[in-house]
Amino acid sequence: MQDQAPAAALRGSEAVFPAEEFAVRIAALQAALPAGADALLLTGPENIFWATGRQTAGYFAFQALLVPASGAPHLLVRQLETTGAAANTWLQDIHAYQDGEDPAAALAGLVQRLGLTTLAVERQGWFVSPEMSARLEAALGGVALADGSGLAEGLRAVKSPAELDRIRRAAAHAEAGIRAALETCRAGTDENEITAAMMAAAIRSGSEAMAMEPLVSSGPRCGIPHATWRRRVLDEGDGVFLELAGSHDRYHAALMRAAWIGGVPAEVQEMQDCAERALDAALDAMAPGRPCSAAHDAAQAVIDAAGHTAAFRKRIGYSMGAAFAPDWGEGAILSLFSGVERALEPGMVFHLPATLRRYGAFTVGASETVIVTETGIEVLSSLPRGITRC
């Protein structure tokens, strides 16, 4: 790494946790390495952040973390990113490639200098294209490649006390945003004004950049999953869908609520009541030792009994934690869904959006982010779940 003196002065100055927190994580990764592997190669921004604290808006550029079976990890980043990498982490060994240099060749050179002969490689990351993957395999040449997919994710599923602290703070930011959005909903305003109020309140509360944009939609648009603001003006009889994840030190917590302009139609209220019962059933089914499927199956039974099966057709929840765009959740790590038999453990965190839709017409429901505790769950919001009448 170039400019060692400035880097040494910056080392850890922007780190989200003490060095000891990351040392525990590196040790856990080393213990999880498959037999015969000299090192684990991580390329996903969430996994690199979890292991080292490395974060940047420039994660579109290739980065890689080598975690050897013993000893300190080595980080490879674009030259421009070295200052931030030094500030965000406690790492001693930060290596750079220059713009115009092939990062695959730079990584291969580093692997060779370290004398590594067998790498466990994560193959599920979103940020290494098939073309880049082929270049990496070609550049690594005679290095044997084993499958290291899921090693970091398996460890990330259970959060440390320090991580849970950040998630609780993120939940407070999300609640501030949703409260402000609900207060802004009224006939004559538009989706952009609601979103501006939502984001301003969350940011004033302390939120950093969110890993996905908030979801704000109204009228028939709120019956389209994952639609968000597009300047539409609210009118009497419109439903409003609001969902936001607050972010604190890259840890996220999400919250969803529904609003209605004017009187709530009977069908809409009945579906809202069903969604709230389903959410309660899911939360009641969550406790250490219970399978992840139990929460979903409990919610699904309520929805099916009410005749709203077609209005749901999705999982009831997904893991939450450290996140980078394009997703605020850890749904690729763990879902609350049928057939997912991993047992819930204290320290796991989930977002449960209980939503029912008339597609292309409206969406109702509510969500909670919860922490699994030694005896049950901790719900992170105090916001009423019913439809807010505006």
Side-chain angles (χ1 to χ4, degrees), residues 129-267:
S129 68
E131 187 270 343
M132 184 61 178
S133 180
R135 282 166 53 198
L136 287 170
E137 293 195 17
L140 289 168
V143 177
L145 301 179
D147 189 3
S149 302
L151 293 185
E153 288 85 350
L155 296 169
R156 284 170 52 201
V158 177
K159 276 62 181 177
S160 71
E163 291 176 293
L164 295 178
D165 170 73
R166 299 327 192 260
I167 289 170
R168 291 186 182 97
R169 297 188 198 192
H173 306 331
E175 182 166 335
I178 294 292
R179 285 186 184 277
L182 289 170
E183 291 168 1
T184 309
C185 290
R186 60 184 179 275
T189 193
D190 66 19
E191 294 170 348
N192 285 50
E193 186 174 346
I194 295 168
T195 308
M198 173 190 279
M199 295 188 73
I203 291 168
R204 288 192 183 103
S205 171
S207 182
E208 301 153 20
M210 300 94 172
M212 190 172 78
E213 65 270 26
L215 302 178
V216 177
S217 55
S218 64
R221 295 190 66 246
C222 77
I224 302 173
H226 292 151
T228 194
W229 72 95
R230 287 190 64 186
R231 300 167 296 277
R232 184 183 182 277
V233 177
L234 277 60
D235 200 356
E236 289 290 322
D238 282 345
V240 187
F241 179 87
L242 305 167
E243 189 172 10
L244 170 71
S247 171
H248 197 102
D249 287 342
R250 287 287 177 180
Y251 286 85
H252 287 64
L255 191 63
M256 183 273 288
R257 292 293 185 267
W260 206 269
I261 310 302
V264 180
E267 177 194 20

Side-chain angles (χ1 to χ4, degrees), residues 20-21 60 107 109 157 171 201 224 232 241 279 307 366:
E20 294 76 15
E21 176 88 6
F60 52 81
L107 178 63
I224 302 173
R232 184 183 182 277
F241 179 87
L279 178 57

Side-chain angles (χ1 to χ4, degrees), residues 281-328:
L283 297 176
D284 289 344
M286 297 181 71
R290 300 292 306 278
C292 287
S293 59
H296 176 86
D297 292 344
Q300 189 73 64
V302 171
I303 292 166
D304 291 346
H308 294 306
T309 304
F312 188 57
R313 297 199 184 284
K314 68 180 188 69
R315 62 189 175 183
I316 192 62
Y318 48 85
S319 180
M320 294 289 288
F324 290 74
D327 186 13
W328 66 41

Side-chain angles (χ1 to χ4, degrees), residues 87-168:
N88 289 146
T89 77
W90 300 98
L91 296 174
Q92 296 277 10
D93 298 306
I94 301 173
H95 310 265
Y97 63 89
Q98 306 296 324
D99 283 0
E101 182 182 0
D102 180 7
L107 178 63
L110 176 59
V111 168
Q112 183 178 28
R113 292 195 300 276
L114 295 175
L116 304 175
T117 59
T118 302
L119 292 181
V121 180
E122 59 174 350
R123 300 184 183 276
Q124 299 171 339
W126 294 344
F127 293 92
V128 176
S129 68
E131 187 270 343
M132 184 61 178
S133 180
R135 282 166 53 198
L136 287 170
E137 293 195 17
L140 289 168
V143 177
L145 301 179
D147 189 3
S149 302
L151 293 185
E153 288 85 350
L155 296 169
R156 284 170 52 201
V158 177
K159 276 62 181 177
S160 71
E163 291 176 293
L164 295 178
D165 170 73
R166 299 327 192 260
I167 289 170
R168 291 186 182 97

Side-chain angles (χ1 to χ4, degrees), residues 23-37:
V24 170
R25 300 178 190 185
I26 293 297
L29 287 171
Q30 291 171 327
L33 272 176

